[in-house]
Amino acid sequence: MDDSESFRDILNKALSMIDSILAQENRALHERPLIASIEFVSLCIEKVRYKDQDEFEPGEFADYLDSDWFKAIFLKTQSWYSSRYGEAINTSRDSGIEGVTVIYNTPFLLKIPTTTVEAGTPGETVWICFHDALQPEEDVLGWIVNGPNLSAASKSDGIKLRRLSVEVANRLRSIKIHLMEITETDARVAEFRREIIPHLERAAQQIVRGKATDYKRAHWDIQMACEFAFKLLSQQRSGSFQQTHDLFFLYDHMPGDALPLKRTHLSKVPSWERMAEWRYGGGPIVSLDETFRCYRAALQIIDETLAAAKRRFRFGKAKFHTRKPPWMSKPDNSD
């Protein structure tokens, strides 16, 4: 591989183009160096000649991920990103999901981890574990952000708040896993898939703020998350979806097999017309109880709808034994 200034020029120009695309796709900064390195190899490198090796084709990522020549490209790409974004490139986005629970008639944020780490070979490897539900050793109450003092809670209050928190955590973990597994048959499926969790998180954040206007606005994000789940499934099944906000209409016109979700469950969510009115502050006051019931119903609607989607993999109880990626270590004679 040529380490001349001309190669750097080619790399820098390519990275400018690639990073622009990754930004449009809303890729987190900490993810971009690796993705951009792989894209550069795919788009710009036909043959590799590195040190004393004969010329060869790069192949697929799995073929070259531990090679010295890819390590060199990755480190140069990482340097380019550090130069462009500074310290921001080192900020990793938390993989948890934000939900909401209610304690003492007060909403609190839940920060739900979607993966856990188990020890592997000391100092060398770990197990990355994906979960679609709460594990026996996990304490959901420990995920409450700035929560109240629960030591004085009555037994009945303790049981209720734990039950509600577990319900929300399990639904959100299941939704996250479904979205990881779903087959993106086209760009619209990818678009719908990408927007569901942000809408649910925004709804949770609005509920936690605890103001009447926030309860109203949270309903529109709840509506959109449900709507995108239905449209994702329809698009995946038939290549199209109904242009409507009406969840009953989307349910009734879903192509393919019947959904596991019961139609009557949609009645637990207000009509989209009412939600649109609340979005702009209109209509009667909405209580926390009404909003939280709607939020919980939406989690069930989305979870059970996505469960019917096509998927290539099953991650719900998956564990991956992994070590520090070889392309992260510095290769010999690399600058």
Side-chain angles (χ1 to χ4, degrees), residues 287-322:
S287 70
L288 171 61
D289 284 345
E290 291 173 302
T291 307
F292 189 53
R293 279 198 301 270
C294 179
Y295 173 78
R296 291 168 61 197
L299 294 183
Q300 181 177 352
I301 290 169
I302 295 165
D303 186 20
E304 295 185 7
T305 299
L306 295 178
K310 299 175 187 174
R311 63 203 69 214
R312 293 181 59 194
F313 308 104
R314 299 283 176 177
F315 286 113
K317 296 174 177 60
K319 292 186 177 184
F320 296 91
H321 195 206
T322 183

Side-chain angles (χ1 to χ4, degrees), residues 110-121:
L110 272 176
K111 189 70 172 180
I112 303 155
T114 54
T115 60
T116 59
V117 178
E118 296 178 1
T121 304

Side-chain angles (χ1 to χ4, degrees), residues 93-198:
R93 184 172 57 188
D94 195 312
S95 61
I97 309 175
E98 291 183 347
V100 62
T101 190
V102 173
I103 307 170
Y104 304 140
N105 298 313
T106 304
F108 289 90
L109 197 68
L110 272 176
K111 189 70 172 180
I112 303 155
T114 54
T115 60
T116 59
V117 178
E118 296 178 1
T121 304
E124 295 182 11
T125 65
V126 293
W127 287 93
I128 306 298
C129 310
F130 291 81
H131 304 296
D132 54 5
L134 191 75
Q135 301 303 293
E137 68 277 8
E138 294 180 308
D139 180 14
V140 69
L141 301 185
W143 300 339
I144 299 171
V145 179
N146 298 324
N149 179 12
L150 301 176
S151 61
S154 67
K155 183 177 180 180
S156 60
D157 283 343
I159 291 173
K160 179 180 179 182
L161 72 90
R162 186 178 294 273
R163 175 180 58 79
L164 287 175
S165 300
V166 168
E167 175 191 317
V168 170
N170 282 348
R171 287 294 186 189
L172 285 171
R173 275 190 166 181
S174 182
I175 289 168
K176 174 71 172 182
I177 290 294
H178 288 327
L179 291 171
M180 288 175 59
E181 298 169 337
I182 280 173
T183 303
E184 293 185 354
T185 52
D186 58 36
R188 292 312 298 269
V189 170
E191 177 185 334
F192 293 138
R193 172 183 174 273
R194 192 165 54 239
E195 293 297 324
I196 290 172
I197 285 180

Side-chain angles (χ1 to χ4, degrees), residues 217-237:
R217 293 190 180 109
H219 280 81
W220 186 251
D221 282 299
I222 291 170
Q223 160 71 27
M224 295 306 296
C226 293
E227 185 178 321
F228 284 161
F230 280 130
K231 290 180 176 179
L232 181 156
L233 184 58
S234 178
Q235 182 73 24
Q236 191 193 59
R237 285 180 169 184

